[in-house]
Amino acid sequence: MSELDGSVYSKAINDRKKHVDAILNSKSFKKVVVAGPGTGKTFLFRKILEGKKNSLTLTFINSLVEDLSLELYGMSDVKTLHSFARSTLSAVKSRSINIFPKLTNVIKEDTQYILRKEVDFEYLFHNRKDNDELLQFYKKRVDYYNYYGYSSIIYALVKYFEKYRERIPSYDQILIDEFQDFNKLEVSLIDLLSEKSSILLAGDDDQALYEFKNASTRHIRERFGDDVPDYESFKLPFCARCTQVIVDATNDIIIAAKKFDFLDQRINKPFQYFHEKEKDKESEKYSTIGYKQIFASQIPWFIEKKISEMAKDLRNKFSVLIISPYRKQSNFIAEALKKKGMQNIECKIKDEKEVSLLDGFKLLLNNINDNLGWRIVSKYLLSNDDFSTLLSATYSNSSKMIYEIVDKDFKKEVKSILKILKKIKDKKPIDNDEFIDIMKKINIDPYAILNEFAREKINNVFQPVGIPAIRKIPIKTTTIQSSKGLSGDLVFITHFDDRYFIKDNDKTKNTDRDICNFLVALTRTKKKVYLISSVQKYPTFLQWINKDRIEEI
């Protein structure tokens, strides 16, 4: 790529400005903006919020809330949907509202014990199955435990606003991010808020990742098209994040997907490289996508090698993002890189949904009478029959707290564990035998902790391992679904094989979701990306990219 004439850069700036100005100058009360990765959503948000004194920005991804809160600091109140629902319900009901993120799993298990039924409550909430009688069972358990889950708190606010529309708050501006990943319940909340406030929806149906929570690209597509005519539609087509080869490869994948009859309902929009002097230099320098076939066990070695090469090339700080299909793969790579001397590794993976014994004890440490805390520890520490009997008792007589139902010996045992845990929490000295006994009871291996601590201490005695120049390079390891909102100068997409990137058991059958997953991972790249296969077979998606863009290593 040769040095471009200055007029090309001026034209790029003017073309991008036209798209932004069209949005800023629109008088429409409702707007939908389709914006691909790196196309300037946050810049647009800042422009829209200028001069607004009362605004709200909503998303459902915690990591995006953190970034947007900084970038829109002092301009907008930035919240997740569930935190907004919690604070709003607390205000209108004049009482504190508790959230336990894993509550739906707890109540799902209650349903199995009490009603002998298997129920997907998340599905009922997400799809607004308001008339399903099992939601009444869920509500009774919510009242008994005095906690909401993420979905049920949003559902409660939607039902409240539908009943008391006059109490829907009003804002000068509401901004909604990642709208392509909203489900019917979340859209219900947005539609209610739009009755009182100017609203802008931003998203990209090519980046839809959250089908597992019953999200649908239908909602953004309907509002962008003619199905919901009160929305005016706009596009942000210019990608300033990625190098030219990443943008071109992204378009290769979309063209191939359409050729094979995928993404048939996709919003038709351009995704164009944004010409800028420094970005053009990077595009010329990093003009290909690296591809490597290697045994899975050697992936950390390859990553270290390529990080070292970029460090030698740039002689300056840069960021690294490592994306793997699954948590286990991501954790393995992180641990292997630590052993190689990398000291600045952050694991960005969403929390597990499984309810643990420690979850129960944490609740009881905060409130010894907490029904949910007692319910969770009872599940782990009582026999299955005794636990089943306990749950039935709480259902038949919801006025009695679990603390009042369990026998004295069990209560004493739990309190003894809490006493030790409180000492640990408060950093007070405890007896070694007591510590080991308690750790075993709450399913934490004290010897594994000791071994890890000892290894770290021993390693600190000796000269640090690895290459000094790259020890402090910031590295984030994550999964595809947790990579939303992240980016890196140097990106590695590991285990890039059909058996991981195509979810169907029949690996000849792609889905729109598989394609979007890969597009999201690929477009996290600012400078250079390496695709790393762990089997000796070319992945389907690699064959969809123009071979001239691929550098086999």
Side-chain angles (χ1 to χ4, degrees):
M1 187 185 297
S2 59
E3 185 81 13
L4 293 176
D5 186 90
S7 62
V8 173
Y9 300 125
S10 298
K11 183 178 185 304
I13 292 169
N14 289 333
D15 287 347
R16 183 172 63 176
K17 187 174 184 297
K18 286 177 186 176
H19 286 276
V20 174
D21 287 348
I23 301 167
L24 297 177
N25 296 330
S26 169
K27 303 300 181 185
S28 296
F29 202 58
K30 299 179 181 180
K31 305 179 186 72
V32 56
V33 179
V34 173
T39 54
K41 273 189 305 181
T42 305
F43 174 80
L44 173 67
F45 286 177
R46 285 199 294 265
K47 284 291 187 182
I48 287 173
L49 292 172
E50 285 179 1
K52 306 282 197 313
K53 294 183 178 179
N54 177 32
S55 64
L56 175 68
T57 301
L58 294 175
T59 183
F60 61 89
I61 304 174
N62 282 315
S63 61
L64 287 178
V65 166
E66 294 166 5
D67 292 340
L68 284 171
S69 293
L70 177 60
E71 292 165 336
L72 304 180
Y73 191 68
M75 302 182 76
S76 179
D77 192 10
V78 183
K79 295 187 174 187
T80 58
L81 292 177
H82 62 263
S83 67
F84 170 74
R86 179 184 188 177
S87 60
T88 305
L89 276 180
S90 295
V92 298
K93 295 191 175 185
S94 300
R95 65 178 177 86
S96 177
I97 299 289
N98 301 315
I99 287 185
F100 182 68
K102 306 171 186 177
L103 183 71
T104 298
N105 282 11
V106 171
I107 297 180
K108 181 178 180 180
E109 193 173 56
D110 285 6
T111 315
Q112 294 168 341
Y113 276 93
I114 297 170
L115 302 182
R116 308 298 176 189
K117 290 183 178 180
E118 183 79 27
V119 183
D120 185 350
F121 284 109
E122 294 286 12
Y123 176 84
L124 299 182
F125 285 126
H126 294 162
N127 293 285
R128 295 295 310 271
K129 302 297 182 182
D130 298 0
N131 296 324
D132 195 303
E133 60 184 18
L134 288 165
L135 288 181
Q136 287 304 311
F137 174 85
Y138 191 101
K139 185 179 184 304
K140 287 179 181 178
R141 301 312 283 174
V142 165
D143 293 341
Y144 185 71
Y145 294 130
N146 194 30
Y147 284 89
Y148 287 92
Y150 283 161
S151 297
S152 58
I153 190 72
I154 297 170
Y155 185 80
L157 183 62
V158 166
K159 296 296 284 183
Y160 182 86
F161 281 161
E162 288 178 344
K163 186 175 182 180
Y164 303 106
R165 273 182 152 78
E166 71 279 5
R167 298 180 187 176
I168 297 172
S170 176
Y171 297 88
D172 294 338
Q173 181 68 59
I174 297 178
L175 302 173
I176 309 297
D177 198 17
E178 302 295 337
F179 190 68
Q180 77 280 351
D181 283 319
F182 279 39
N183 55 44
K184 187 175 182 179
L185 170 64
E186 294 159 344
V187 171
S188 296
L189 176 58
I190 302 311
D191 286 344
L192 287 163
L193 292 173
S194 72
E195 293 179 9
K196 296 282 188 74
S197 304
S198 178
I199 200 155
L200 182 145
L201 312 175
D204 176 16
D205 56 340
D206 290 341
Q207 297 185 76
L209 289 188
Y210 293 88
E211 193 178 81
F212 68 90
K213 72 177 185 81
N214 307 116
S216 174
T217 52
R218 175 174 59 86
H219 303 299
I220 191 171
R221 288 168 178 168
E222 286 177 346
R223 284 154 182 77
F224 189 86
D226 299 325
D227 294 328
V228 186
D230 49 344
Y231 276 88
E232 186 176 4
S233 57
F234 303 90
K235 302 172 184 176
L236 289 179
F238 295 104
C239 176
R241 173 196 296 164
C242 304
T243 49
Q244 176 89 56
V245 70
I246 302 299
V247 174
D248 290 343
T250 299
N251 284 310
D252 288 345
I253 294 162
I254 292 169
I255 291 168
K258 298 284 282 184
K259 177 183 175 183
F260 293 117
D261 297 324
F262 298 108
L263 305 180
D264 59 320
Q265 300 298 313
R266 174 184 182 267
I267 295 171
N268 184 26
K269 73 275 190 185
F271 183 58
Q272 298 171 238
Y273 170 73
F274 181 72
H275 282 288
E276 190 270 331
K277 202 166 188 177
E278 287 305 311
K279 204 68 192 178
D280 280 357
K281 289 179 181 177
E282 289 179 355
S283 291
E284 186 168 7
K285 191 171 195 176
Y286 306 110
S287 59
T288 59
I289 291 171
Y291 174 68
K292 177 70 173 177
Q293 289 183 347
I294 195 171
F295 291 119
S297 60
Q298 294 179 302
I299 290 175
W301 164 81
F302 179 77
I303 290 174
E304 180 195 35
K305 182 171 182 280
K306 292 304 170 183
I307 291 175
S308 178
E309 287 176 5
M310 179 166 275
K312 189 182 293 184
D313 185 35
L314 294 180
R315 292 191 176 89
N316 208 337
K317 285 281 180 75
F318 58 93
S319 59
V320 177
L321 180 63
I322 303 168
I323 304 173
S324 304
Y326 295 110
R327 174 190 290 263
K328 188 175 181 181
Q329 296 160 339
S330 185
N331 288 339
F332 167 78
I333 291 169
E335 289 305 312
L337 291 176
K338 287 177 184 177
K339 290 176 183 177
K340 289 177 175 294
M342 308 292 197
Q343 299 175 2
N344 191 7
I345 297 178
E346 182 182 1
C347 194
K348 302 284 286 187
I349 300 177
K350 290 180 176 61
D351 294 335
E352 292 278 10
K353 290 185 177 181
E354 186 178 340
V355 182
S356 70
L357 176 58
L358 194 55
D359 288 327
F361 279 118
K362 285 178 182 177
L363 296 175
L364 292 178
L365 281 170
N366 186 54
N367 176 10
I368 188 61
N369 297 324
D370 191 283
N371 266 339
L372 183 58
W374 279 101
R375 184 265 182 228
I376 293 171
V377 299
S378 297
K379 168 65 171 65
Y380 280 92
L381 300 180
L382 291 178
S383 69
N384 192 59
D385 288 343
D386 287 345
F387 177 67
S388 181
T389 301
L390 173 65
L391 280 187
S392 296
T394 65
Y395 186 60
S396 60
N397 185 2
S398 59
S399 63
K400 292 200 76 172
M401 300 182 71
I402 296 179
Y403 182 80
E404 301 171 309
I405 300 173
V406 295
D407 64 46
K408 291 180 180 179
D409 289 339
F410 179 67
K411 203 179 299 182
K412 184 178 179 181
E413 179 188 0
V414 170
K415 284 186 174 181
S416 68
I417 297 173
L418 284 170
K419 186 178 179 181
I420 301 300
L421 290 175
K422 190 173 189 312
K423 285 183 179 180
I424 295 171
K425 179 185 174 185
D426 296 339
K427 298 180 180 178
K428 292 182 178 179
I430 57 174
D431 180 83
N432 287 339
D433 291 337
E434 279 186 317
F435 173 74
I436 290 172
D437 185 48
I438 293 301
M439 289 295 102
K440 286 180 177 178
K441 282 184 177 178
I442 60 176
N443 296 323
I444 296 176
D445 184 354
Y447 299 106
I449 295 173
L450 181 62
N451 287 337
E452 181 66 27
F453 177 76
R455 273 200 305 271
E456 194 165 319
K457 284 291 184 184
I458 291 168
N459 287 337
N460 287 340
V461 172
F462 298 101
Q463 190 73 18
V465 299
I467 304 166
I470 64 174
R471 280 189 201 128
K472 300 293 186 181
I473 294 292
I475 300 171
K476 291 179 181 177
T477 64
T478 189
T479 59
I480 295 170
Q481 288 183 344
S482 295
S483 71
K484 185 67 74 71
L486 303 178
S487 62
D489 295 311
L490 178 59
V491 173
F492 298 92
I493 300 176
T494 77
H495 303 82
F496 180 55
D497 305 293
D498 286 352
R499 65 174 175 172
Y500 299 122
F501 277 75
I502 297 175
K503 299 303 180 185
D504 197 286
N505 289 331
D506 182 350
K507 299 307 173 183
T508 64
K509 293 182 179 178
N510 278 318
T511 64
D512 286 0
R513 181 184 62 176
D514 298 332
I515 297 164
C516 289
N517 281 348
F518 179 52
L519 288 175
V520 167
L522 183 65
T523 54
R524 301 307 91 199
T525 309
K526 291 182 178 180
K527 289 184 172 71
K528 180 74 176 183
V529 65
Y530 289 96
L531 311 176
I532 309 172
S533 288
S534 52
V535 297
Q536 291 184 333
K537 182 181 178 183
Y538 285 110
T540 297
F541 293 138
L542 185 72
Q543 298 173 54
W544 287 11
I545 300 173
N546 186 322
K547 63 181 181 180
D548 293 337
R549 311 192 208 285
I550 305 297
E551 174 195 3
E552 288 201 45
I553 302 164

